[in-house]
Amino acid sequence: MDQLPVYEVYAARFAMRPLQRKDNFLGGDPHEGPMPMDYFVWMIRNADRTIVVDVGFNAEVSAKRKRTYLRTPREALALLGVDTHTVKDVIISHMHYDHVGTLDDFPNAQFHIQDEEMAYATGRYMGNHQFSHGIELTDVIGMVKRVYANRVTFHNGTEDIAPGISVHRIGGHTKGLQCVRVHTQRGWVVLASDASHYYEHIETERFFRSVFNIGDMLDGYRTMRALTGGSLEHIIPGHDPLVLQRYPAASPELAGTVARLDLAPISNVSSIPPGAGHA
C-alpha cells in the first residue's frame, strides 16, 4: 500500500466581528461576555499541490454586513506565498457569503462542492429569510456560471479530492455543508468550517444559532470526531479566535494572522469560560 502524502495546513484570518456569547448559541446563552468571531480561509499544500478551502467575502459585502475587514482573502493567502490566479482547486464548504464571496479571484480554479449544497442554494428553501439571509445572490449566480463553464466538480457524501485529502458531507448548518479531512505529520486533521463554528460547540454539543437541521449538526460533531479517531485536538472550528492562540504562527511576523494547523498545538487554553458550558 502506498504511503499517504503529508500536507501542511494553514488558517489565515481576513476579517472579524465583535459578538456576545448569546449571539452564538441556538436559544441564546445565560452567560454574559464577549465571544468575537474571526473569519478565515484555509490552505493545504505540499510539494505537489496547493488547495484552498473557502474564499471568504469581499469589501463590498463586508461593508454591507458591517464586518471588520482586515484584508482580502487573496491578500491573506498571499502572505503564504499563494497567488490565487495559479490555484487549481478550491473546496467550498458551503454557499454562505463568508465562504464563497471572492470566486473571481480564482480564475483558473476548479471548485468542489456537494450536490446537496448547490441544490439547497438554488432550491425551495431560499424563499425563506431564515435560510437565505446567509447567502448572497451574486455568489449563487457566480457559482452557476461556473457550473455552465464546467468549472465545478460535484461531490456526493464522502469523496477523495486528492491522495490524503477528502471531503465529507456534514449538513446541519446548511443542507450540504462539507468538512475537509487532511493527512498531516500529526495525523488526520479536519477543517470543520461551519460544521462547528467554535470549539465550544463541538466540545459541549451545543448549536450555533443559524441551523438548517439540528440533528444533522449533532451527527456532524460525532462524524468529525470519528474522522480524527476521537481527537478534538485535530478538529479545527471555522470561526474561533482561539485557533490563532492554540496553534503556532506560520512565521513570527504572521502571529495573530496565520496559524499552522499541521503542527501540534502550543496552547490548550480553554474554550469554555468559568461557569459556562451547557446552558
Side-chain angles (χ1 to χ4, degrees), residues 43-242:
M43 190 265 286
I44 302 164
R45 73 176 170 198
N46 65 8
D48 298 319
R49 59 180 54 88
T50 295
I51 295 177
V52 170
V53 179
D54 290 341
V55 299
F57 52 84
N58 60 31
E60 180 182 358
V61 169
S62 179
K64 171 184 173 181
R65 292 181 179 258
K66 298 180 172 59
R67 308 301 188 244
T68 301
Y69 207 50
L70 304 174
R71 57 192 62 83
T72 67
R74 181 184 68 248
E75 291 167 341
L77 291 166
L79 296 172
L80 291 164
V82 176
D83 178 356
T84 58
H85 284 67
T86 68
V87 172
K88 295 181 180 179
D89 290 283
V90 174
I91 299 170
I92 297 297
S93 66
H94 63 300
M95 287 294 292
H96 277 172
Y97 76 94
D98 50 326
H99 298 263
V100 71
T102 68
L103 297 174
D104 289 342
D105 285 339
F106 299 80
N108 297 302
Q110 190 75 9
F111 295 91
H112 298 262
I113 193 169
Q114 289 282 325
D115 282 305
E116 282 199 76
E117 185 65 10
M118 197 66 191
Y120 172 72
T122 57
R124 66 178 68 191
Y125 299 109
M126 292 302 103
N128 185 290
H129 179 72
Q130 171 66 27
F131 302 121
S132 66
H133 76 277
I135 292 177
E136 292 285 334
L137 179 58
T138 54
D139 296 336
V140 178
I141 293 171
M143 190 63 81
V144 170
K145 287 180 177 179
R146 285 161 177 82
V147 171
Y148 276 76
N150 198 29
R151 290 184 52 210
V152 178
T153 298
F154 287 96
H155 300 279
N156 182 16
T158 295
E159 294 188 25
D160 291 335
I161 301 296
I165 303 172
S166 56
V167 293
H168 306 261
R169 183 199 167 272
I170 298 293
H173 179 56
T174 64
K175 197 169 191 291
L177 179 145
Q178 61 185 351
C179 71
V180 183
R181 187 170 78 154
V182 186
H183 190 247
T184 75
Q185 61 181 301
R186 70 183 182 105
W188 290 108
V189 167
V190 168
L191 298 176
S193 187
D194 289 7
S196 185
H197 282 67
Y198 293 84
Y199 283 107
E200 190 170 345
H201 287 130
I202 191 169
E203 289 173 356
T204 65
E205 293 195 341
R206 295 180 65 199
F207 309 109
F208 188 66
R209 62 178 180 168
S210 175
V211 55
F212 176 74
N213 186 301
I214 296 174
D216 282 352
M217 186 174 280
L218 177 61
D219 288 342
Y221 295 158
R222 296 169 182 178
T223 294
M224 290 189 292
R225 286 175 183 259
L227 288 172
T228 64
S231 173
L232 286 173
E233 192 176 85
H234 289 71
I235 299 171
I236 312 299
H239 289 278
D240 201 325
L242 289 178

